[in-house]
Amino acid sequence: MAKRTSRRSGTGTRGKHETPLLDTAGDGLDVLAGRGSGDTVVGLHEAAQARYLNYALSVITSRALPDVRDGLKPVQRRILYTMWQQRLRADAKPRKCAKVVGDVMGSYHPHGDAAIYDTLVRMAQPFTVRVPLVDGSGNFGSLDGDSAAAMRYTECRLAAISAELLREIDEETVAFQPNYDGTRQEPVVLPARVPNLLVNGATGIAVGMATNIPPHNLGDVATALLNLLDDPDLTSARLARDVRGPDFPTGGQLVNTTEELTQIYTTGSGTVRVRATWEPGDRRRSSKTVHVTSVPYGVNKAQLVERIAEVVVGRKLPPLLDVKDVSTDDVRIELELKAEADERMVMAYLFKQTPLQTTFPVNLTCLVPTEQPGVGRPERLDLRQMLWHFLHFRLEVVTRRLEHERAALGKRIHILLGFEKVFDALDAIITLIRQSDGKADAAAKIMRIFGLDAEQTDAILELKIYRLARLEILIIRKELEEKRERAGRIDAELADEERRWQIVRDELVEVRETYGEPRRTAIDGPADDEMVFSADDFIVDEDAVVLVSRDGWVKRQREVRDPAATRLREGDALLAAIAGSTRATVVFFTNFGVAYSCRLIDIPATTGYGEPIQRLFKLKDGERVVTVLGLDARVTGAITATPPATEPPCHAVAVSSDGYSLRFGLEAFNEPSTRAGRRFARPARSAEIVGVAAITGAETLIAATREARAMLCEAREINFLSGPGKGVLLIKLPKDRDRVIGFIASRGDRDLLTVETSRGAEQTISTAKYERAGRGGRGRELLQRGQFTRVVPRPIGTPVLEER
């Protein structure tokens, strides 16, 4: 065993920048590095880097990305090739999918049977691929998201168009490589006559890259290929006029402009917007219907209907009364509307709020052939490059096919020349054979006497007796003439590239005429009269009250006579009762300095306990609502009186537990937020927001701390921040010994802050009892002994709105 250097033994040294060695003989680190106990030790990071690189290349070239030539991933190619070998052609009797999957896994694709079967199923689903390559028999799933039946229950065979991918496979048109165990040969690529990559598209995620190629219309792609043959200088922008845009198997309508689609095909990436198609239906006395006739590609129809039903149940779109899925083989979703409803406005709302309109990110990344067979280079291509690679691949296939046919013709002509040479001397040959000592002796004599080679002689000796008839020589000579004529044409074609390009053209025309179909996806672009609407247009404007509990339960009610009598869970308490229009916004401020806002109409309506606020927003662990404000103008009008010119009329003040405070505007929260909310403050890591109050700036802040200190100062002393921040010091607190427990924004001597002491008593703090001081001091000490334990919640009265 070779001597190894080790830091531990002290027999070697290591420089400052030297890689650490795996120096424990025979331990698990050597195994991780892929070394035996007698091999040279390598750095762990080097071994990991090399192995990860191998893994990444394997995923990119052998799993996730399609080949630009046949548009297939390895597993798809292996499935089609196995079915071709099993003679499961379009006119054959279907065979169990389990048999196909087993043969593919055993011979070519040593991965899980579930992955192979899923790929087979996708190639057979007419709503997944534009031109199915597999003809499935049985349950192969549905547009509603139903999965296919188990492989033991389904059968399959190749679709008719798959023959165009495989018919030249036995003519030495493509390279072959050993399978995973070296017992068989598999094709590196299929000799596809169909531009399958653009026609059926592809989706895959590799290491550090991905592909997402949408399906296209076969006729459009073939036309672009023919035009590129006529003029090789055409650009992607010009070819985009022929391809026009994706053609999804589920139909739909593209709403991208022509310029946007051209940009996608020029750069190889972009986003396609596709929406459902619809048409007016029957009209009744009090209602009318709209029929959705197609859905966007990749959308689960059942989930789409559920989303529309949620809009109906939540009364988010009052003109929409009901939704029904009455689809058969064709998509047909029936929407019932009020008789006076505007169909275009209703559909515009549904396009924006439901999956009736989606986006498809385009990424034209695929494997480009290299000089080394079986090894592709990942590259993002534009439209012209994709078409160019396919055309030159077809030229190569045609050339190799002609060469294969010419070689076969040469062999046959050679045999026929031997027949022709000896036919007039059949009697002599028969006599010679009868006088020979065997086949070898007869062959040697024939070759010596008639000047034939071994191949010709063997064919003569294997000649059947009926071929000795006199008419057979005429048939042989006719065949010889035909073979020579065909060989001459092939020689001319092999010598003239233009003639081979003509063959490529003729085959493309044949494919287009045989398999071309009308487009399913309309390309109308954005409508000039497309409805522009606001979500408020569909909200019934009526008064409502939102009730929020301390534990984070929220509900909406039409009217509340006594908030204290509202139904709450045991141990819970009412935090706020906010009145306002259903079109108005309500804002939930949390202790983490984040505000969540939504329309009152979005709050669930119920007389029960309500719903957890987590159903509406995505609160973090430990985050809780501390204040709720309504932004109805009839309520906020009271806090908009003559603010300074540099401050917005509607703003608020927040105080954190570490004694800091800030003022900020409320206009930014007037629109509904995302589920993640909007940040309004950035408290220190060890602090949290204890409350928020809407103010005009003329109020007095009254804050109390746990160590029984109080701060009374003018609200205008608190700096106004245009963005979230920590704020300025309101009251100076001893480090780690005190914290602010609450505050109010007092508008007069009657506004009291009531706190509970550690002895169970209550104490009030107001501007009538104590003088104001400047912010930033230690405040006023109110107790000699004891602490303030909590701020007593102020009574919540019945919310009252001003008259409209």
Side-chain angles (χ1 to χ4, degrees), residues 83 97 117-129 131-138 140-141 155-157 159:
M83 296 176 70
C97 291
Y117 183 53
D118 287 345
T119 303
L120 188 151
V121 167
R122 287 182 60 84
M123 289 195 293
Q125 291 176 331
F127 53 87
T128 299
V129 292
V131 180
L133 302 178
V134 174
D135 181 12
S137 177
F140 274 77
E155 297 179 336
C156 66
R157 61 184 176 186

Side-chain angles (χ1 to χ4, degrees), residues 549-576:
S549 77
R550 183 187 59 201
D551 292 344
W553 291 77
V554 59
K555 60 183 175 180
R556 171 171 53 90
Q557 293 183 357
R558 182 72 178 271
E559 183 180 5
V560 177
R561 296 183 182 276
D562 182 11
T566 189
R567 188 178 181 187
L568 298 172
R569 289 178 173 270
E570 185 177 355
D572 202 356
L574 189 63
L575 175 66

Side-chain angles (χ1 to χ4, degrees), residues 335-371:
L335 305 178
E336 184 179 355
L337 313 180
K338 291 182 179 179
E340 67 277 8
D342 187 333
E343 300 99 324
R344 294 183 303 161
M345 184 169 285
V346 170
M347 294 306 299
Y349 179 91
L350 294 178
F351 287 146
K352 187 173 182 180
Q353 303 296 333
T354 71
L356 276 177
Q357 178 170 319
T358 61
T359 59
F360 186 95
V362 178
N363 183 355
L364 304 182
T365 298
C366 55
L367 294 178
V368 175
T370 61
E371 295 181 359

Side-chain angles (χ1 to χ4, degrees), residues 204-374:
I205 299 176
V207 179
M209 63 183 64
T211 184
N212 206 31
I213 303 174
H216 291 79
N217 184 268
L218 174 58
D220 290 352
V221 177
T223 299
L225 288 167
L226 294 172
N227 288 337
L228 184 59
L229 272 177
D230 293 337
D231 185 359
D233 295 327
L234 291 180
T235 64
S236 295
R238 170 59 186 85
L239 293 168
R241 300 181 192 174
D242 301 316
V243 175
R244 295 188 285 175
D247 187 22
F248 296 106
T250 54
Q253 174 189 355
L254 294 180
V255 294
N256 294 72
T257 63
T258 303
E259 292 75 15
E260 290 173 338
L261 292 173
T262 301
Q263 183 69 13
I264 291 173
Y265 289 123
T266 302
T267 62
S269 65
T271 300
V272 172
R273 299 188 303 276
V274 58
R275 64 170 50 164
T277 56
W278 61 278
E279 59 186 23
D282 301 331
R283 298 183 66 93
R284 304 182 183 90
R285 185 171 185 179
S286 60
S287 65
K288 56 184 175 181
T289 58
V290 168
H291 294 141
V292 177
T293 55
S294 68
V295 298
Y297 181 65
V299 170
N300 185 308
K301 181 163 63 69
Q303 293 179 359
L304 170 63
V305 174
E306 290 179 5
R307 289 284 298 276
I308 299 176
E310 290 175 2
V311 174
V312 176
V313 173
R315 297 186 61 197
K316 297 180 180 179
L317 187 58
L320 181 60
L321 302 177
D322 195 11
V323 56
K324 298 178 183 177
D325 186 4
V326 293
S327 304
T328 53
D329 292 337
D330 298 324
V331 173
R332 195 172 184 83
I333 301 174
E334 184 177 287
L335 305 178
E336 184 179 355
L337 313 180
K338 291 182 179 179
E340 67 277 8
D342 187 333
E343 300 99 324
R344 294 183 303 161
M345 184 169 285
V346 170
M347 294 306 299
Y349 179 91
L350 294 178
F351 287 146
K352 187 173 182 180
Q353 303 296 333
T354 71
L356 276 177
Q357 178 170 319
T358 61
T359 59
F360 186 95
V362 178
N363 183 355
L364 304 182
T365 298
C366 55
L367 294 178
V368 175
T370 61
E371 295 181 359
Q372 183 179 354

